[in-house]
Every structure is written in C-alpha cells, then in structure tokens.
Amino acid sequence: MPEQATPVLDKTTAAPAAPVLEIRDLNLSYFTRAGEIPAVIDFSLDVRPGEAVGLVGESGCGKSTVAMAVMRYMGGNGRIMSGSIKFKGRDMMTMSEEELRQLRGSEIAMVYQEPMAALNPSMKIGDQLAEVPMYHESGISYPQAWERAREMLGNVRLPDPERVMQAYPHQISGGQQQRVVIAMALLSNPSLLLLDEPTTALDVTVEAGIVELIRDISQQFGTSMLYISHNLGLILDTCDRVCVMYSGEVAEESAIREIFTNPCHPYTRGLFGCIPTPGKDKNAHPLTPIRGQLPLPHQRPDGCNFGPRCDHFRAGVCDHGLVEMETVDAHLNHRARCRRWDEIDWDNYRVESEARPAMEAGEVVLDIKQMQKYYPIYDRSLTAVLSGGSVRYVKANEELSFEARKKQTVAIVGESGCGKSTFAKVLMGLETATNGELTFNGVDLADKPVQKRRKEMIRSLQMVFQNPNDTLNPSMTVGQAIGRVIRKFEIERNPHRVQQMVLDLLDMVKLPRSFINRRPRQLSGGQKQRIGVARAFAGKPAMVIADEPVSALDVSVQAAVTGLLMDIQAEYETTLLFISHDLGVVRYLADRVVVMYLGQIMEQGTTDEVFSPPYHPYTEALLSAVPIADVTVKKKRIILEGTLPSVLNPPAGCPFCTRCPRKIGQICEDVPPPDVEVVPGHRIRCHIPVDELKDVEPVIQIAADA
C-alpha cells in the first residue's frame, strides 16, 4: 500500500519539482464515416517525478486514448483537436516525427495489455530486448546490449534469465511474457512508463508479482507511471494519486487515500458500490450496479455526462452547459466535476441494493468421485521405445472428488493450468474421463462424450463462456442465436411462441426487446455477455457452468452480470458451477469453494470455511494475491515464487511443495499429503497439522478503526 504522495522537491529551490508529464485542456477526436467522434474532452493531468497516477473508469471512457495521445500514436483517424501535452517542459505537439521516434522507447515507454501483441513471435526474447539499447543509445555493441538485457530480466525477477533470453515468446508463460515486456520498457531507463491494463488476463498470483514488481520499479528507478485500469484494488496497491474518468472527461481526482475514503462524485461512489469487497454479502448486502450505460461519444447529454445514470440528478442544475471541475480540498488537490457534490449528505449516503432471501441448497445434482483425466503423449524415438518409456501422461485432473447441490453455487478456483477448464470439458462431454465417476442427475457421464448423450442431458448442462465474441455467430441476430437453442432442444417449435420466449429472455437479462434484431458487432462487451447468459438459460438447464464469465468486464458490468446470474438461479433453481481465478468475486458469489492446484484439489468447503483459517498454504497465497479496493482492510502479503511444475513431471509428494512458503521438510517432497477433514465438508490436503493451520493469522482483516 503506497503512502500518500508528497511532491518531489528541487534541492536548490525547495519548490515542487516540475512535472514529467503535463497535460492541459486536451481534446481528442476520431474521424469516421459518420463524422467527428469526440473521445476525450477538456482533459488535464500532471505526473511528477517518481509519482504513480492511476487512470480508472469503464471501458470506452477514454483512458487508453489518453495514453495513445501521450505516445503521439492515435492511428490514421485520430487527432488532437486542442490543448497541450508537455514532456519535461517540451511541447510534444511541436516535435517532428524523428524527435518523437527518439522519445518513444527511450524517455517514454508503454506496457500493453496483451504482451504477445508487443512481442515478435519469430524472434528470440534476447534479440528483441537487445534491440532497445542498440537503437536508442549510440556506441553500444551487441554483446553489451545482450548483457544489459540479461541483467534487466533479473531485475524483473525472471528465474533463469539466460534460458529466457534464448526462448521464443510462445515458450514462456503469460506472466513471464508480461515481465519481458516490462523489462523491454525499462531497458532505456525511461522517465515515464505508461501501463495499459498490464495484468487483466493474468492469474491473481502472477498479478500480485507484477504489482510488487511495479512498486519496486518506482522505488529503484524513480520512474513516473501512468497506470490505466478498471480494477480499483490494483490502483490502490500501486498508485499515489488517482484520476477517475467518465465519458471522456475527468469526473474526480485526488490523492489515492482521499478518493477511497472521501469520494465526492456520484460516479466514483457508484464504482465502489460495484466492487465485491470483504464486507459485501450476496444476500444481505448485494452489489449495486450503476444503472444505464455509458453514453456513446456522439450522444452525450447536455450538462453532466453522468446525469442520466445519477441518483442525485436535478433538473435545471445538472442538465445544461459545461460542468467544470470544482475544488473539494485544495491541499490534497481533490477536485470533482459535479455541481451538487457539497449538497449531498455523503456521511449517510449508501449505495446498496435490496437484500435477497438466501436459498437453501437442495439435493445433490453433481457427484464426482475419484475422477481422473490423463492425456497420453507418445515418444516414437528408438531410445524411448527401447527403455519402455514411449508413453507419458499429462495428469490434467487427478482424483477429483466433490459434489454440487440444487440451487447452490460452487466455485472452482486456481491458477491457469490447474485443470479447471479440463474438468469443465469432461463435464460438458467435450472430453471423457480416464477413470472415476462423474454422476449428474443420477447418470454417470464420465465415459460419455457429447455425441453419445441424450438431447435431454445436453439441454440440462449449459455453459457461459469467458469471451462471448468467440461464441456468438457474427452473422446471426440476437433473436436467431437464442431462438436456435429453443428450437434445437424442442422446447418450442411455433415461431410466434419462440419469438415471445426470446423476448422474455431479453427481459430476464435486462436488455431492451429491440435487441432481438441486433447482431453481436452492435453490442458492448457486457451486452454480449448477457446474451451469452440468456442463451445458456434458454434451454432451462439444471446446471450452468460459467467459465470466467466476468473476468474481462468492467466492475459496473461485472456487478450487473453477477446479480443477473443470482436472479436467474433463484427463478430456475439452477445449480451454478463458477470457474474463476478472481477470489474477490468468488467470495461474494459462491456457497462452496473448490481450490485446485496442478490437477488436484488442495482444499474444499463452504466459502466462509475456505476464506478463514485453517486453510491450505496455497489458498492462503491466493487470498493474499487478491487486490482489495478498501483502505479499511489489512492484508498479509505473500508472493509466490516460481511457476507451476510441469504436468509431465509433477512432484512425487505434495504438488505445491516447490512453491510453498510453509514447507515443513522432506516429507512434503516425497510423500503425497493426506486428505484431512477439518470439520464435516471442509477438507484440506496438507502435511501441516490442522492445529498449526488454525493458529495462522487471517490473510484478510478489517481494520479496527474502520
């Protein structure tokens, strides 16, 4: 948790140091066939030496556009209409293309959301890294550049830098790729680092390592940073100040702790109401999504852009003219773009939805016993055949045993590669189990691929995927996509009744009925995910498997989709299997949690049991890695070193022993851990005695002065 930022002082004048980046009254537009689209309006921001400033807001609010404008790379149809961007006092608007080329990568560097888009797949990592100093520094030889690159990989805490230097991008993990991109950005020791959602697609443990790395970079190199994210928990962990954007404008800005303790714009309050912090409960204190949607740039209302979605909107006050930034606290540079911020009783203001009745779990719907899924890998070499080792097995799932009940939400959590999605494939019939039982509604599906399952069984098991873009047919309208499911499972054949059922489903997922004729390209990410939910429930399934359904969504859309899943689950009495690595959402949504690591279940129990000691050291590390957008929460910091062992050569003993911070000795390496039942239903697979696990200090604690 960074301390509140203090201005860097010039030693000779004792005055605040000049900003590294100074943006004033910036207006950015894109030009399309429909005409000019104003993306960013009247944007101003200062970033001082060594300071980290967070830029947050929903998708489409203009965060990345600002970063691209700073890099002076807005594409062929983007244009800076007015305003100024100064870097170290120099006006970037007057720089030539050659000056900008010299500036990019040397003085200003950028880390993008998708590392594979920034790395050349045909070049070795070392060659790509060595290019940076060779291009930006004169008189440096290739061996010197190579050595600098190798040292920088060590600085970003990549194990075995020499091996990584010789590898191609596809031969290292996503977290390692992101560290390589950060190393590439730092090689020329830039004064300003722009980070655009650098951890969105990463596991929480990898994300925690990247966040720790970013914090160390700021201290070690004195680099100024502009951190773009929609994750307020990450911003709290990494930044000194925060700038909240809405519909192309700055809605509120201040020091980080001030924004989190005293937000004075209704939009900022709304964002906090969407975040599943430890105090939120899906029944007693459900999340409150911000109603409505972000206005399109060419459809912004008169007056306050947030007016149509604001609970404090007042006609005659908020609906005319340009709303200016107003000073809330001059000492903290706290400003808000709201005409009523000082009239609202924030002390008694609460963003809360109505409490929901808790659902009682019913009979067992899914029962898994000792299920295994192995993938054979054949080595046809003569040496392997003669030694008798021509077949090896990838143990994707190893003896899984758990159950799920009617009306219950069971979450399966763990890092990428732990076997979550493999289990989902076996359950859906896309794969068959190697051994064990997988009983759904009394029928063992372990050895039944989807082609051999009855239509009724296929209808009863439906899935909501992480990326709706990959699952919605771009040539089909919304009505055709949902209606096809209804007809396919013979729920209804009459065209008029099918259409009415589609309209009812659109009502259920809270989308306008006019969307029945829209195609996927005409929908936002949150709207497409709602269509995916509607399609999954169109067949009235007994169980829905949701595979990372909210990980790529804004917090406001995330709150709406989780609320939607709970509403539909209550109406249909559906069992929900929620696959995720986001333990913040899991804590809020799930009734039971199954923690997986390297194909095995490390812990399982009710949500309260799994999130409170005693818990497995791996569960403890996962909980520690979750960024929490709440200054009243104290969290133990545990950074896991290394990566998951190879599934072709797992440890003989505990699968987690190579990374466990609480390893107790050789027994962890040599002997598989026992499966211990702490209380009925709460099981932990670990050599550490349960009494010692009970004595562990909780990872997450609400501060006494909260």
Side-chain angles (χ1 to χ4, degrees), residues 601-633:
I601 294 176
M602 295 287 98
E603 183 170 5
Q604 61 175 301
T606 66
T607 304
D608 288 340
E609 289 167 346
V610 170
F611 278 72
S612 301
Y615 33 50
H616 193 281
Y618 179 57
T619 307
E620 184 181 31
L622 288 178
L623 293 174
S624 169
V626 178
I628 299 174
D630 190 339
V631 295
T632 66
V633 173

mmCIF file of all heavy atoms in Angstrom, residues 601-633:
data_model
loop_
_atom_site.group_PDB
_atom_site.id
_atom_site.type_symbol
_atom_site.label_atom_id
_atom_site.label_comp_id
_atom_site.label_asym_id
_atom_site.label_seq_id
_atom_site.Cartn_x
_atom_site.Cartn_y
_atom_site.Cartn_z
ATOM 1 N N ILE A 601 -7.242 -31.340 -5.992
ATOM 2 C CA ILE A 601 -7.976 -30.481 -5.063
ATOM 3 C C ILE A 601 -7.151 -30.331 -3.793
ATOM 4 O O ILE A 601 -6.863 -31.308 -3.101
ATOM 5 C CB ILE A 601 -9.361 -31.064 -4.748
ATOM 6 C CG1 ILE A 601 -10.242 -31.063 -6.007
ATOM 7 C CG2 ILE A 601 -10.047 -30.261 -3.639
ATOM 8 C CD1 ILE A 601 -11.600 -31.701 -5.825
ATOM 9 N N MET A 602 -6.759 -29.093 -3.495
ATOM 10 C CA MET A 602 -5.981 -28.806 -2.296
ATOM 11 C C MET A 602 -6.883 -28.532 -1.088
ATOM 12 O O MET A 602 -6.510 -28.801 0.041
ATOM 13 C CB MET A 602 -5.074 -27.599 -2.535
ATOM 14 C CG MET A 602 -4.000 -27.804 -3.593
ATOM 15 S SD MET A 602 -2.662 -28.902 -3.031
ATOM 16 C CE MET A 602 -3.153 -30.458 -3.755
ATOM 17 N N GLU A 603 -8.055 -27.950 -1.365
ATOM 18 C CA GLU A 603 -8.969 -27.602 -0.274
ATOM 19 C C GLU A 603 -10.374 -27.466 -0.837
ATOM 20 O O GLU A 603 -10.564 -27.050 -1.980
ATOM 21 C CB GLU A 603 -8.537 -26.295 0.402
ATOM 22 C CG GLU A 603 -9.396 -25.905 1.594
ATOM 23 C CD GLU A 603 -8.827 -24.748 2.405
ATOM 24 O OE1 GLU A 603 -7.792 -24.178 1.989
ATOM 25 O OE2 GLU A 603 -9.410 -24.409 3.449
ATOM 26 N N GLN A 604 -11.362 -27.795 -0.023
ATOM 27 C CA GLN A 604 -12.758 -27.559 -0.382
ATOM 28 C C GLN A 604 -13.576 -27.399 0.888
ATOM 29 O O GLN A 604 -13.265 -27.955 1.935
ATOM 30 C CB GLN A 604 -13.317 -28.692 -1.240
ATOM 31 C CG GLN A 604 -13.324 -30.064 -0.609
ATOM 32 C CD GLN A 604 -14.016 -31.091 -1.500
ATOM 33 O OE1 GLN A 604 -15.187 -30.949 -1.841
ATOM 34 N NE2 GLN A 604 -13.261 -32.120 -1.900
ATOM 35 N N GLY A 605 -14.626 -26.575 0.768
ATOM 36 C CA GLY A 605 -15.502 -26.330 1.910
ATOM 37 C C GLY A 605 -16.443 -25.190 1.591
ATOM 38 O O GLY A 605 -16.494 -24.702 0.456
ATOM 39 N N THR A 606 -17.211 -24.751 2.584
ATOM 40 C CA THR A 606 -18.062 -23.587 2.376
ATOM 41 C C THR A 606 -17.169 -22.362 2.175
ATOM 42 O O THR A 606 -15.988 -22.363 2.542
ATOM 43 C CB THR A 606 -18.991 -23.347 3.573
ATOM 44 O OG1 THR A 606 -18.189 -22.986 4.712
ATOM 45 C CG2 THR A 606 -19.823 -24.584 3.899
ATOM 46 N N THR A 607 -17.732 -21.300 1.627
ATOM 47 C CA THR A 607 -16.945 -20.093 1.366
ATOM 48 C C THR A 607 -16.359 -19.530 2.652
ATOM 49 O O THR A 607 -15.182 -19.148 2.698
ATOM 50 C CB THR A 607 -17.827 -19.036 0.674
ATOM 51 O OG1 THR A 607 -18.392 -19.609 -0.511
ATOM 52 C CG2 THR A 607 -17.027 -17.812 0.300
ATOM 53 N N ASP A 608 -17.150 -19.491 3.706
ATOM 54 C CA ASP A 608 -16.645 -18.976 4.984
ATOM 55 C C ASP A 608 -15.497 -19.828 5.510
ATOM 56 O O ASP A 608 -14.518 -19.304 6.064
ATOM 57 C CB ASP A 608 -17.768 -18.924 6.023
ATOM 58 C CG ASP A 608 -18.770 -17.814 5.734
ATOM 59 O OD1 ASP A 608 -18.408 -16.875 4.997
ATOM 60 O OD2 ASP A 608 -19.909 -17.898 6.234
ATOM 61 N N GLU A 609 -15.584 -21.153 5.343
ATOM 62 C CA GLU A 609 -14.522 -22.040 5.829
ATOM 63 C C GLU A 609 -13.231 -21.850 5.036
ATOM 64 O O GLU A 609 -12.140 -21.774 5.611
ATOM 65 C CB GLU A 609 -14.983 -23.502 5.727
ATOM 66 C CG GLU A 609 -16.073 -23.872 6.728
ATOM 67 C CD GLU A 609 -16.718 -25.211 6.409
ATOM 68 O OE1 GLU A 609 -16.509 -25.729 5.283
ATOM 69 O OE2 GLU A 609 -17.448 -25.725 7.276
ATOM 70 N N VAL A 610 -13.352 -21.754 3.727
ATOM 71 C CA VAL A 610 -12.167 -21.652 2.872
ATOM 72 C C VAL A 610 -11.486 -20.299 3.014
ATOM 73 O O VAL A 610 -10.267 -20.188 2.863
ATOM 74 C CB VAL A 610 -12.550 -21.940 1.399
ATOM 75 C CG1 VAL A 610 -11.404 -21.604 0.456
ATOM 76 C CG2 VAL A 610 -12.951 -23.402 1.236
ATOM 77 N N PHE A 611 -12.260 -19.247 3.349
ATOM 78 C CA PHE A 611 -11.692 -17.905 3.444
ATOM 79 C C PHE A 611 -11.243 -17.538 4.861
ATOM 80 O O PHE A 611 -10.832 -16.418 5.106
ATOM 81 C CB PHE A 611 -12.699 -16.863 2.928
ATOM 82 C CG PHE A 611 -12.702 -16.732 1.430
ATOM 83 C CD1 PHE A 611 -13.234 -17.718 0.635
ATOM 84 C CD2 PHE A 611 -12.153 -15.613 0.818
ATOM 85 C CE1 PHE A 611 -13.238 -17.610 -0.745
ATOM 86 C CE2 PHE A 611 -12.147 -15.490 -0.557
ATOM 87 C CZ PHE A 611 -12.687 -16.491 -1.346
ATOM 88 N N SER A 612 -11.323 -18.470 5.786
ATOM 89 C CA SER A 612 -10.870 -18.214 7.158
ATOM 90 C C SER A 612 -10.000 -19.378 7.614
ATOM 91 O O SER A 612 -10.247 -20.519 7.233
ATOM 92 C CB SER A 612 -12.066 -18.074 8.107
ATOM 93 O OG SER A 612 -12.900 -17.009 7.697
ATOM 94 N N PRO A 613 -8.969 -19.101 8.442
ATOM 95 C CA PRO A 613 -8.128 -20.210 8.925
ATOM 96 C C PRO A 613 -8.970 -21.240 9.660
ATOM 97 O O PRO A 613 -9.958 -20.868 10.297
ATOM 98 C CB PRO A 613 -7.142 -19.514 9.874
ATOM 99 C CG PRO A 613 -7.175 -18.066 9.499
ATOM 100 C CD PRO A 613 -8.563 -17.808 8.998
ATOM 101 N N PRO A 614 -8.599 -22.517 9.590
ATOM 102 C CA PRO A 614 -7.402 -23.026 8.911
ATOM 103 C C PRO A 614 -7.605 -23.144 7.403
ATOM 104 O O PRO A 614 -8.680 -23.531 6.949
ATOM 105 C CB PRO A 614 -7.238 -24.419 9.525
ATOM 106 C CG PRO A 614 -8.640 -24.839 9.843
ATOM 107 C CD PRO A 614 -9.348 -23.581 10.258
ATOM 108 N N TYR A 615 -6.588 -22.797 6.645
ATOM 109 C CA TYR A 615 -6.641 -23.031 5.208
ATOM 110 C C TYR A 615 -5.285 -23.486 4.691
ATOM 111 O O TYR A 615 -4.252 -23.316 5.320
ATOM 112 C CB TYR A 615 -7.135 -21.831 4.422
ATOM 113 C CG TYR A 615 -6.790 -20.461 4.934
ATOM 114 C CD1 TYR A 615 -5.497 -20.094 5.290
ATOM 115 C CD2 TYR A 615 -7.794 -19.493 5.036
ATOM 116 C CE1 TYR A 615 -5.213 -18.818 5.734
ATOM 117 C CE2 TYR A 615 -7.509 -18.216 5.477
ATOM 118 C CZ TYR A 615 -6.214 -17.878 5.828
ATOM 119 O OH TYR A 615 -5.933 -16.608 6.264
ATOM 120 N N HIS A 616 -5.348 -24.093 3.499
ATOM 121 C CA HIS A 616 -4.145 -24.622 2.853
ATOM 122 C C HIS A 616 -3.205 -23.462 2.515
ATOM 123 O O HIS A 616 -3.657 -22.364 2.185
ATOM 124 C CB HIS A 616 -4.558 -25.364 1.575
ATOM 125 C CG HIS A 616 -3.475 -26.197 0.986
ATOM 126 N ND1 HIS A 616 -2.457 -25.666 0.219
ATOM 127 C CD2 HIS A 616 -3.230 -27.541 1.039
ATOM 128 C CE1 HIS A 616 -1.648 -26.630 -0.176
ATOM 129 N NE2 HIS A 616 -2.089 -27.774 0.313
ATOM 130 N N PRO A 617 -1.875 -23.666 2.591
ATOM 131 C CA PRO A 617 -0.935 -22.591 2.235
ATOM 132 C C PRO A 617 -1.162 -22.025 0.838
ATOM 133 O O PRO A 617 -0.919 -20.836 0.610
ATOM 134 C CB PRO A 617 0.433 -23.283 2.341
ATOM 135 C CG PRO A 617 0.230 -24.370 3.344
ATOM 136 C CD PRO A 617 -1.182 -24.849 3.133
ATOM 137 N N TYR A 618 -1.644 -22.850 -0.097
ATOM 138 C CA TYR A 618 -1.918 -22.342 -1.445
ATOM 139 C C TYR A 618 -3.140 -21.430 -1.435
ATOM 140 O O TYR A 618 -3.145 -20.368 -2.051
ATOM 141 C CB TYR A 618 -2.131 -23.509 -2.418
ATOM 142 C CG TYR A 618 -2.443 -23.057 -3.832
ATOM 143 C CD1 TYR A 618 -1.568 -22.225 -4.525
ATOM 144 C CD2 TYR A 618 -3.617 -23.457 -4.473
ATOM 145 C CE1 TYR A 618 -1.847 -21.808 -5.811
ATOM 146 C CE2 TYR A 618 -3.895 -23.046 -5.755
ATOM 147 C CZ TYR A 618 -3.015 -22.222 -6.428
ATOM 148 O OH TYR A 618 -3.291 -21.809 -7.701
ATOM 149 N N THR A 619 -4.180 -21.830 -0.699
ATOM 150 C CA THR A 619 -5.360 -20.973 -0.550
ATOM 151 C C THR A 619 -4.964 -19.651 0.088
ATOM 152 O O THR A 619 -5.416 -18.574 -0.327
ATOM 153 C CB THR A 619 -6.429 -21.663 0.319
ATOM 154 O OG1 THR A 619 -6.706 -22.965 -0.197
ATOM 155 C CG2 THR A 619 -7.711 -20.857 0.353
ATOM 156 N N GLU A 620 -4.096 -19.727 1.091
ATOM 157 C CA GLU A 620 -3.615 -18.532 1.780
ATOM 158 C C GLU A 620 -2.922 -17.587 0.792
ATOM 159 O O GLU A 620 -3.142 -16.367 0.809
ATOM 160 C CB GLU A 620 -2.656 -18.945 2.890
ATOM 161 C CG GLU A 620 -2.158 -17.802 3.756
ATOM 162 C CD GLU A 620 -1.181 -18.282 4.815
ATOM 163 O OE1 GLU A 620 -0.456 -19.275 4.570
ATOM 164 O OE2 GLU A 620 -1.132 -17.662 5.880
ATOM 165 N N ALA A 621 -2.096 -18.153 -0.099
ATOM 166 C CA ALA A 621 -1.387 -17.338 -1.086
ATOM 167 C C ALA A 621 -2.355 -16.726 -2.087
ATOM 168 O O ALA A 621 -2.204 -15.569 -2.499
ATOM 169 C CB ALA A 621 -0.340 -18.186 -1.801
ATOM 170 N N LEU A 622 -3.376 -17.488 -2.508
ATOM 171 C CA LEU A 622 -4.379 -16.955 -3.427
ATOM 172 C C LEU A 622 -5.127 -15.782 -2.803
ATOM 173 O O LEU A 622 -5.360 -14.754 -3.453
ATOM 174 C CB LEU A 622 -5.377 -18.051 -3.822
ATOM 175 C CG LEU A 622 -4.900 -19.148 -4.772
ATOM 176 C CD1 LEU A 622 -6.027 -20.155 -5.007
ATOM 177 C CD2 LEU A 622 -4.438 -18.576 -6.102
ATOM 178 N N LEU A 623 -5.516 -15.930 -1.530
ATOM 179 C CA LEU A 623 -6.239 -14.866 -0.836
ATOM 180 C C LEU A 623 -5.369 -13.620 -0.703
ATOM 181 O O LEU A 623 -5.839 -12.488 -0.864
ATOM 182 C CB LEU A 623 -6.682 -15.337 0.546
ATOM 183 C CG LEU A 623 -7.732 -16.441 0.590
ATOM 184 C CD1 LEU A 623 -7.967 -16.895 2.019
ATOM 185 C CD2 LEU A 623 -9.034 -15.961 -0.017
ATOM 186 N N SER A 624 -4.091 -13.826 -0.422
ATOM 187 C CA SER A 624 -3.171 -12.696 -0.273
ATOM 188 C C SER A 624 -3.000 -11.935 -1.583
ATOM 189 O O SER A 624 -2.724 -10.730 -1.580
ATOM 190 C CB SER A 624 -1.812 -13.205 0.213
ATOM 191 O OG SER A 624 -0.836 -12.201 0.131
ATOM 192 N N ALA A 625 -3.158 -12.623 -2.702
ATOM 193 C CA ALA A 625 -2.915 -12.014 -4.011
ATOM 194 C C ALA A 625 -4.083 -11.170 -4.502
ATOM 195 O O ALA A 625 -3.927 -10.401 -5.449
ATOM 196 C CB ALA A 625 -2.602 -13.109 -5.035
ATOM 197 N N VAL A 626 -5.254 -11.298 -3.878
ATOM 198 C CA VAL A 626 -6.436 -10.587 -4.367
ATOM 199 C C VAL A 626 -6.330 -9.099 -4.041
ATOM 200 O O VAL A 626 -6.230 -8.729 -2.865
ATOM 201 C CB VAL A 626 -7.723 -11.164 -3.732
ATOM 202 C CG1 VAL A 626 -8.945 -10.388 -4.207
ATOM 203 C CG2 VAL A 626 -7.873 -12.635 -4.076
ATOM 204 N N PRO A 627 -6.348 -8.214 -5.049
ATOM 205 C CA PRO A 627 -6.355 -6.777 -4.758
ATOM 206 C C PRO A 627 -7.713 -6.359 -4.207
ATOM 207 O O PRO A 627 -8.752 -6.727 -4.757
ATOM 208 C CB PRO A 627 -6.078 -6.127 -6.127
ATOM 209 C CG PRO A 627 -6.495 -7.138 -7.131
ATOM 210 C CD PRO A 627 -6.334 -8.481 -6.502
ATOM 211 N N ILE A 628 -7.723 -5.616 -3.099
ATOM 212 C CA ILE A 628 -8.970 -5.228 -2.433
ATOM 213 C C ILE A 628 -9.093 -3.717 -2.422
ATOM 214 O O ILE A 628 -8.211 -3.010 -1.923
ATOM 215 C CB ILE A 628 -9.013 -5.786 -0.991
ATOM 216 C CG1 ILE A 628 -8.947 -7.316 -1.023
ATOM 217 C CG2 ILE A 628 -10.269 -5.318 -0.267
ATOM 218 C CD1 ILE A 628 -8.844 -7.948 0.340
ATOM 219 N N ALA A 629 -10.179 -3.212 -2.972
ATOM 220 C CA ALA A 629 -10.394 -1.763 -3.086
ATOM 221 C C ALA A 629 -11.035 -1.211 -1.821
ATOM 222 O O ALA A 629 -12.143 -0.676 -1.845
ATOM 223 C CB ALA A 629 -11.265 -1.468 -4.308
ATOM 224 N N ASP A 630 -10.335 -1.349 -0.704
ATOM 225 C CA ASP A 630 -10.878 -0.900 0.572
ATOM 226 C C ASP A 630 -9.712 -0.598 1.518
ATOM 227 O O ASP A 630 -8.936 -1.494 1.862
ATOM 228 C CB ASP A 630 -11.783 -1.987 1.168
ATOM 229 C CG ASP A 630 -12.576 -1.500 2.367
ATOM 230 O OD1 ASP A 630 -12.168 -0.502 2.982
ATOM 231 O OD2 ASP A 630 -13.595 -2.130 2.697
ATOM 232 N N VAL A 631 -9.580 0.661 1.941
ATOM 233 C CA VAL A 631 -8.467 1.049 2.810
ATOM 234 C C VAL A 631 -8.649 0.542 4.240
ATOM 235 O O VAL A 631 -7.708 0.582 5.034
ATOM 236 C CB VAL A 631 -8.278 2.580 2.825
ATOM 237 C CG1 VAL A 631 -7.865 3.094 1.464
ATOM 238 C CG2 VAL A 631 -9.541 3.285 3.310
ATOM 239 N N THR A 632 -9.839 0.069 4.603
ATOM 240 C CA THR A 632 -10.067 -0.441 5.957
ATOM 241 C C THR A 632 -9.645 -1.900 6.091
ATOM 242 O O THR A 632 -9.685 -2.455 7.187
ATOM 243 C CB THR A 632 -11.552 -0.314 6.353
ATOM 244 O OG1 THR A 632 -12.343 -1.180 5.532
ATOM 245 C CG2 THR A 632 -12.041 1.111 6.193
ATOM 246 N N VAL A 633 -9.253 -2.521 4.978
ATOM 247 C CA VAL A 633 -8.864 -3.929 5.000
ATOM 248 C C VAL A 633 -7.352 -4.053 5.061
ATOM 249 O O VAL A 633 -6.633 -3.447 4.257
ATOM 250 C CB VAL A 633 -9.409 -4.661 3.748
ATOM 251 C CG1 VAL A 633 -8.861 -6.084 3.685
ATOM 252 C CG2 VAL A 633 -10.927 -4.696 3.774
#
